[in-house]
Amino acid sequence: MSPTDLTASELLAAYESGTTTPTDVVRACLARIEETDDVHNAVRLVLPEVALARAAESDARWKAGTARPLEGVPYALKDIVATAGITTTGGSALFEDSVPTTDALLESRLADAGGVLVAKLETFEFACGGAVNKTFGPVLNPWDTTRTTGGSSSGSGAAVALGQVPVAIGTDTGGSIRIPSAFCGITGIKATYGRVPRHGVMGLSWTLDHAGPMTRSVEDCARVLDVIQGADPADPTTLEADAGFVEAVQRDVSGMKVARNPGWLEAEMHPDVRASYEASLAELAATGVTIVDVDLPSFELVVQAAWTIMFAEMLSYHEAHLFDIESRDEMGASLLAATPFVSAADYLRALRLRNWFQRDLERAMEGCDALVCPGMTALPPVIADAMMSDLGDREVPWLDAGCRTHVPFNLTGSPALVLPSGLVSGLPVSLQLVGRPRDESTLFALGAAYQRTTTHHLNRPPALLPA
């Protein structure tokens, strides 16, 4: 087995046992990038000198017995995360030569924990836009190169699925960690709003933006979140750190109650995806949990409110780019063009709705430990300027399907974990578990129990299977 097939947690165990070294693993990751990226285009910039220097330091620390929590684990960053002395483009020609002078705090925390930065990864332009990035091209799905990875953390999803790195950082304003995790068959978490500091991360919508890990297992997500969480004086929205996410993966989930909403969250699904989803609910129940129906009648209004907020705050960030809107990719241009038509009154109404829906969600989940819903309601669409999702009886714009089960939880700020739940027509499908604010531990417990009793997260794209 190649070291590129191992999770971060497995790599740490291998380092401790002496069966491999960080330098050997980093060389393997660099080789995997060279083997796969000409086809898939997940990587914006490879950093071999940086990576090998950090790996050598990690080799020495393991020998000296001074290993840190992520010592020698390779990772890569979505290219909206600032890296000192290394270009950070935001997926846009406007910043193609932009070189920050300081690291984003989450990058500093990963490095201080012993992680090894291997690459910067492709993204939809400015973390919105569309799959066909006008400047850097599309990222192709590892399971079917005619299809999208989703986004905006497109490179992050593909890089982890391809084994280029075991850990990637993505960001999520309306599903941008969870959509590519679902489409690429990996595990990703959008933690509670404020859990991960965003200082040094290019913004899109400051009341909806999140950053977080994308990995091959729930345990790895918990391990990375332990490292990057915590308050930041430069980001007043951040929360104090909570301890013990890794410990949560061993928690017994027997007797837990998990809510499902047969209304909005499950109303529009491709029939084959629906059948797989029902099977995955049975698998979840087999871990010892009880699944109960709840009513959440306000979802449609919530989605409208979230997009209203996103458009208003996007305009605040990108008003200076309206003049060159024609240089943007088609979908990015269409989103930005809509932003000036959101009134201040609409924006404030949408912000007020946030607290109302947070309370509505809390009431609906009363007596339950988490909420479950589809990670995605359709399979990854074929790449096009105007991508469409197939729901079986009709096609809809891909963002309508892609964000349907995700953007409501950006509005509430709830933690949400996506994990693989099978294959349909050879393409990944997934579950999403949603928790109460600051209760990622319950999601990790449930997700890890699901992954202990199923093998869906072990599926690999056909290109990585032995001939």
Side-chain angles (χ1 to χ4, degrees):
M1 175 184 290
S2 167
T4 58
D5 296 322
L6 300 178
T7 66
S9 299
E10 290 167 341
L11 285 174
L12 290 169
Y15 297 154
E16 187 170 19
S17 68
T19 56
T20 191
T21 67
T23 292
D24 288 341
V25 172
V26 167
R27 291 190 187 281
C29 287
L30 293 171
R32 179 63 62 85
I33 290 171
E34 186 173 359
E35 291 165 5
T36 59
D37 211 60
D38 282 349
V39 172
H40 295 281
N41 192 39
V43 176
R44 169 87 293 278
L45 181 66
V46 188
L47 301 167
E49 293 181 4
V50 172
L52 290 170
R54 288 195 188 181
E57 181 184 352
S58 290
D59 290 346
R61 281 183 170 271
W62 278 107
K63 287 181 180 178
T66 58
R68 296 163 290 182
L70 293 178
E71 196 67 67
V73 173
Y75 68 93
L77 301 170
K78 182 177 181 177
D79 199 28
I80 67 169
V81 179
T83 41
I86 299 169
T87 55
T88 302
T89 70
S92 174
L94 292 172
F95 294 96
E96 195 166 3
D97 299 316
S98 176
V99 180
T101 57
T102 57
D103 288 326
L105 182 58
L106 67 83
E107 156 58 9
S108 297
R109 288 178 174 173
L110 288 166
D112 290 344
V116 177
L117 178 63
V118 172
K120 302 293 291 289
L121 300 173
E122 298 287 8
T123 173
F124 288 9
E125 188 178 21
F126 294 135
C128 57
V132 185
N133 186 297
K134 194 166 186 176
T135 303
F136 301 117
V139 180
L140 307 186
N141 194 302
W143 295 85
D144 179 347
T145 55
T146 69
R147 296 175 185 266
T148 185
T149 58
S152 61
S153 306
S154 51
S156 300
V160 173
L162 288 166
Q164 295 176 342
V165 285
V167 173
I169 296 296
T171 62
D172 192 312
T173 306
S176 291
I177 287 172
R178 293 161 292 158
I179 295 169
S181 293
F183 281 170
C184 294
I186 64 171
T187 303
I189 187 164
K190 178 197 79 66
T192 304
Y193 179 76
R195 173 70 71 194
V196 178
R198 296 164 299 158
H199 180 60
V201 180
M202 186 179 292
L204 178 63
S205 173
W206 60 86
T207 62
L208 303 177
D209 287 345
H210 301 66
M214 301 167 67
T215 69
R216 296 193 200 111
S217 72
V218 170
E219 182 178 357
D220 279 6
C221 274
R223 194 174 295 279
V224 176
L225 189 60
D226 267 338
V227 166
I228 63 175
Q229 66 158 331
D232 172 15
D235 181 352
T237 68
T238 49
L239 304 170
E240 294 295 332
D242 288 332
F245 291 139
V246 173
E247 287 74 12
V249 303
Q250 299 301 327
R251 186 188 302 175
D252 182 11
V253 301
S254 299
M256 285 190 182
K257 289 185 177 181
V258 178
R260 69 179 290 192
N261 172 242
W264 172 269
L265 293 174
E266 301 178 14
E268 301 206 357
M269 299 175 67
H270 189 284
D272 294 341
V273 176
R274 182 183 297 281
S276 180
Y277 172 64
E278 293 294 342
S280 66
L281 292 181
E283 292 172 331
L284 181 61
T287 66
V289 307
T290 300
I291 299 176
V292 299
D293 290 354
V294 299
D295 185 27
L296 282 170
S298 53
F299 264 106
E300 187 169 5
L301 181 60
V302 167
V303 169
Q304 293 172 0
W307 280 104
T308 296
I309 292 168
M310 197 184 308
F311 282 156
E313 295 178 355
M314 187 191 308
L315 177 62
S316 178
Y317 274 127
H318 293 292
E319 188 173 12
H321 301 143
L322 284 172
F323 75 93
D324 65 348
I325 199 167
E326 294 303 320
S327 69
R328 305 284 301 278
D329 65 75
E330 184 175 338
M331 181 170 284
S334 66
L335 293 173
L336 187 58
T339 62
F341 299 99
V342 175
S343 71
D346 288 340
Y347 175 62
L348 294 173
R349 288 189 195 100
L351 287 175
R352 286 197 295 270
L353 183 65
R354 180 196 303 270
N355 290 336
W356 177 81
F357 185 62
Q358 286 170 332
R359 292 192 297 270
D360 195 32
L361 182 60
E362 184 178 351
R363 284 192 296 269
M365 291 178 63
E366 187 173 353
C368 294
D369 298 279
L371 174 75
V372 65
C373 65
M376 191 53 62
T377 60
L379 297 176
V382 173
I383 293 173
D385 286 329
M387 291 194 306
M388 303 295 287
S389 287
D390 179 9
L391 297 180
D393 59 344
R394 69 192 190 287
E395 292 188 336
V396 299
W398 87 276
L399 278 179
D400 290 357
C403 295
R404 185 181 185 91
T405 62
H406 298 305
V407 73
F409 306 114
N410 291 87
L411 188 74
T412 63
S414 308
L417 174 72
V418 161
L419 57 161
S421 61
L423 298 174
V424 169
S425 300
L427 297 168
V429 290
S430 61
L431 284 179
Q432 179 174 224
L433 296 167
V434 180
R436 290 188 171 82
R438 303 193 70 157
D439 190 18
E440 290 87 351
S441 291
T442 294
L443 301 186
F444 289 139
L446 288 164
Y450 184 79
Q451 290 189 339
R452 281 194 297 272
T453 56
T454 63
T455 59
H456 306 306
H457 63 295
L458 302 179
N459 290 330
R460 294 293 179 263
L464 300 185
L465 297 178

